[in-house]
Amino acid sequence: MDNYYIKTNRTFTNIRKYAWLFTLLVAIGGLWQPKLGLLVIFIMAGLTITSFFSGRYWCGNFCPHGSLFDRIAMPISLNKKIPTILKSKFLVIGFFIFFMYNFSKKVIKASNFWGTYDFLDKLGFVFVTTYLMVLITGGLFAIFLNPRTWCQFCPMGTIQKLSHKLGRSIGITKTTEKKVTIESLDKCHACGKCSRVCPFQLTPYLGFSSNNQLEDINCIKCATCVENCPANILSLRTEKEAANLMKDISIKGYENRQEIKAKIIDIKNLTKDVKEFTFSFISPGKIDCKAGQFILIKIQDEPKAFRAYSISSFNKNSTTLSVIIKKVEKGYGTNIIFNDFKVGDIIELEGPMGDELVIDDSAEKILFIGNGIGVTPFIGLTKEVLTNNPSVKDVKLLDGQRYENEFLYRDYFESLDKEEDRFQYIPVVSQDKNSCIRKGYVTHMLKDMDLEGYKVYICGSKNMVIDSYNILLDKGVKKENIFYESEERISIKN
């Protein structure tokens, strides 16, 4: 599991970006000006008070050492799995007692200078040396193990947990504490990305309670999982806010999600780094799918994790389906699938899910826009629309790739273009100078198209989806006629 944990941005505010300067000010500057150490008293007061209301929120949002670990150490950290022993109650409690005993001895020794000119310097120096010790020890742990290794047994973290338990016991946290909240468990891809980016290496997607909240007392509310969730279904909310969210959220497109046992019956190489996998259902024997939906494929048991891929096709009697997967360089999930999955293997699936790209039956004019692996859902959708939607008068597919040899099912689309008067295939390449195909990006083509009366379905890279969406709005296409899906849903990167 060498590359399971991902380095990603954790500093979303200026405080989190630059609070590490306070650590250097006290730990280094305090060696010359010991009174600087007295500033730590305010830090201790702040973390104790905030934790009473909000748990370990201070750790993830204000802590100067946390800022140092996330901002300075993480880029050069080995980012390994944190050893279980460093998280154990035995070590946490033992180190807390050891630390507080030695810290108290130093404070008592400094108190002997009470009433003298040197008292504040002596007391401040106690905090200075403590901060310096954390800087060195925590910094080494951060670089050679994991950025937040020290935080697992940090005495200040233990104080926060004790304060938080007090606040929770009297019920104050019910209205003040914001926890990681999932809008619906049915919508979770179980991809594990929230776990892979978590500074504390928690597993939120496996630990949500019945009220859809993460109750783990070690969660530092840093929102890293919220920012990185591919399904965009995580947020920080109070208990009341979470309850209201559960009442209001729609699970349309996810109501038929189920566990599926399937067998790989075919693996087809489409390009050097793209394969089509076909699954035959074992239990249940039939699954009703809609063109434009996606399926989850289990890639490992510990921790349990899936990857989401758009359904490229399925047979008429609902006993098989196919997905197209692009291998991502250094990608965790795709490397497992490409290296370990073989014809004949029994695989666990979940789904089908999604309604973002399910076609409106009333549509008369349809434009599909895809780039990269994002063209995958349109393989099944074009056939579905032209076969089962008699009201459709015009269907266009705008397909953007970097090079000519990267087009998926190009022969199929070109044949369909020749056979079906209602369908037009528009391929475009962005980097292939030797190709006879149109040059540019799909967004360039969009600007010159007449789109009056069209319903538009977009799937591909995040930037393409955003740019296309804005161009469509500028051209007068109504928001309610634009449907889009990020490529992250099709192939979760890394």
Side-chain angles (χ1 to χ4, degrees):
M1 200 178 290
D2 291 339
N3 63 340
Y4 181 78
Y5 297 105
I6 303 171
K7 294 181 181 181
T8 188
N9 179 38
R10 298 175 184 168
T11 54
F12 312 117
T13 66
N14 284 331
I15 292 177
R16 290 162 71 170
K17 285 180 181 178
Y18 303 113
W20 60 271
L21 293 171
F22 181 85
T23 296
L24 298 186
L25 175 68
V26 173
I28 306 299
L31 296 176
W32 286 270
Q33 295 293 332
K35 290 185 180 68
L36 287 171
L38 299 176
L39 294 174
V40 178
I41 296 174
F42 297 99
I43 296 291
M44 295 179 68
L47 64 87
T48 303
I49 294 170
T50 57
S51 58
F52 180 78
F53 297 98
S54 303
R56 295 191 71 173
Y57 185 85
W58 181 280
C59 286
N61 296 274
F62 299 115
C63 179
H65 280 109
S67 171
L68 179 80
F69 300 149
D70 290 342
R71 178 77 166 170
I72 306 302
M74 188 170 65
I76 58 176
S77 172
L78 296 181
N79 207 39
K80 295 182 178 180
K81 180 177 176 62
I82 301 171
T84 303
I85 184 64
L86 297 182
K87 302 179 181 182
S88 68
K89 288 184 178 181
F90 174 79
L91 186 137
V92 172
I93 295 173
F95 186 73
F96 178 75
I97 294 172
F98 170 78
F99 178 90
M100 295 306 295
Y101 172 73
N102 283 280
F103 178 76
S104 299
K105 278 179 59 179
K106 293 179 181 178
V107 171
I108 293 171
K109 186 176 181 180
S111 67
N112 291 329
F113 291 86
W114 175 260
T116 69
Y117 177 80
D118 292 331
F119 172 69
L120 292 181
D121 280 338
K122 295 293 184 180
L123 182 61
F125 197 69
V126 172
F127 292 100
V128 168
T129 54
T130 301
Y131 242 52
L132 182 60
M133 180 274 293
V134 177
L135 171 64
I136 296 172
T137 306
L140 290 173
F141 271 127
I143 294 171
F144 294 105
L145 195 54
N146 184 279
R148 288 286 188 151
T149 303
W150 169 266
C151 303
Q152 307 306 309
F153 52 89
C154 171
M156 296 302 102
T158 302
I159 288 176
Q160 288 181 78
K161 286 191 282 187
L162 292 173
S163 177
H164 179 239
K165 286 182 178 180
L166 177 60
R168 182 180 288 185
S169 67
I170 63 176
I172 191 69
T173 60
K174 285 183 175 293
T175 56
T176 59
E177 183 182 9
K178 291 193 173 185
K179 305 172 187 175
V180 176
T181 304
I182 186 169
E183 65 180 44
S184 171
L185 292 172
D186 292 315
K187 290 186 175 183
C188 178
H189 297 173
C191 64
K193 192 168 186 181
C194 55
S195 175
R196 299 180 66 198
V197 301
C198 176
F200 272 48
Q201 299 181 355
L202 307 178
T203 52
Y205 71 111
L206 299 177
F208 288 111
S209 63
S210 57
N211 64 350
N212 286 7
Q213 292 196 294
L214 181 64
E215 304 290 349
D216 196 314
I217 197 170
N218 286 307
C219 176
I220 59 175
K221 284 85 171 173
C222 63
T224 306
C225 58
V226 174
E227 295 286 338
N228 285 274
C229 175
N232 196 30
I233 55 176
L234 298 181
S235 57
L236 288 172
R237 297 176 185 264
T238 63
E239 190 172 312
K240 183 177 180 180
E241 290 171 340
N244 291 333
L245 180 65
M246 290 174 66
K247 293 177 183 177
D248 298 336
I249 201 69
S250 169
I251 59 168
K252 182 182 177 183
Y254 298 83
E255 60 268 38
N256 294 321
R257 177 174 179 171
Q258 58 189 299
E259 295 181 355
I260 304 166
K261 190 176 182 180
K263 181 179 181 180
I264 301 177
I265 58 173
D266 186 42
I267 300 176
K268 185 184 299 181
N269 294 311
L270 301 183
T271 69
K272 65 178 182 179
D273 58 355
V274 178
K275 292 184 179 183
E276 182 180 61
F277 292 78
T278 301
F279 302 91
S280 176
F281 306 135
I282 298 174
S283 176
K286 291 186 177 182
I287 302 294
D288 291 327
C289 302
K290 294 180 181 179
Q293 291 188 305
F294 64 95
I295 201 83
L296 302 183
I297 301 176
K298 187 177 182 182
I299 61 167
Q300 67 181 29
D301 290 309
E302 187 58 41
K304 185 179 181 181
F306 290 76
R307 287 295 179 269
Y309 296 99
S310 181
I311 299 171
S312 58
S313 63
F314 50 89
N315 63 359
K316 290 182 178 180
N317 59 6
S318 301
T319 59
T320 68
L321 65 76
S322 298
V323 298
I324 292 176
I325 302 174
K326 180 180 177 65
K327 187 175 184 179
V328 180
E329 185 178 357
K330 297 182 180 179
Y332 185 80
T334 55
N335 270 292
I336 291 175
I337 293 173
F338 271 62
N339 296 334
D340 298 344
F341 282 26
K342 304 289 187 296
V343 172
D345 287 351
I346 306 300
I347 303 297
E348 290 182 36
L349 310 175
E350 285 193 16
M353 294 177 280
D355 67 344
E356 292 87 349
L357 294 178
V358 175
I359 302 300
D360 183 347
D361 293 335
S362 66
E364 294 186 355
K365 295 181 179 181
I366 295 175
L367 171 63
F368 295 133
I369 305 173
N371 73 337
I373 197 72
V375 75
T376 299
F378 302 131
I379 298 168
L381 283 169
T382 50
K383 183 178 180 180
E384 176 78 13
V385 169
L386 294 169
T387 302
N388 299 325
N389 289 47
S391 61
V392 171
K393 299 176 181 177
D394 183 31
V395 179
K396 290 181 172 64
L397 170 59
L398 192 50
D399 182 1
Q401 304 294 337
R402 295 177 306 166
Y403 297 95
E404 187 171 350
N405 62 2
E406 293 180 346
F407 285 98
L408 302 176
Y409 278 75
R410 179 181 171 188
D411 292 342
Y412 165 74
F413 289 128
E414 288 180 339
S415 296
L416 191 62
D417 192 337
K418 293 177 182 178
E419 299 169 3
E420 178 59 70
D421 294 336
R422 295 177 295 165
F423 179 69
Q424 182 183 4
Y425 178 53
I426 310 172
V428 55
V429 292
S430 60
Q431 298 182 27
D432 198 334
K433 296 179 180 180
N434 298 320
S435 174
C436 296
I437 297 175
R438 295 177 181 85
K439 306 298 190 301
Y441 295 91
V442 294
T443 48
H444 297 156
M445 304 297 112
L446 269 182
K447 294 178 180 178
D448 299 326
M449 296 176 69
D450 179 8
L451 299 176
E452 184 177 355
Y454 279 84
K455 290 187 182 292
V456 185
Y457 297 82
I458 317 170
C459 188
S461 64
K462 182 178 180 180
N463 289 338
M464 186 278 286
V465 172
I466 294 172
D467 291 344
S468 296
Y469 184 83
N470 291 329
I471 291 171
L472 291 167
L473 292 180
D474 290 341
K475 290 178 69 67
V477 179
K478 296 180 180 179
K479 288 183 179 181
E480 56 266 30
N481 289 332
I482 305 174
F483 309 87
Y484 56 89
E485 179 67 280
S486 171
E487 185 176 296
E488 286 186 320
R489 175 67 58 82
I490 295 170
S491 177
I492 299 171
K493 295 186 177 182
N494 283 325

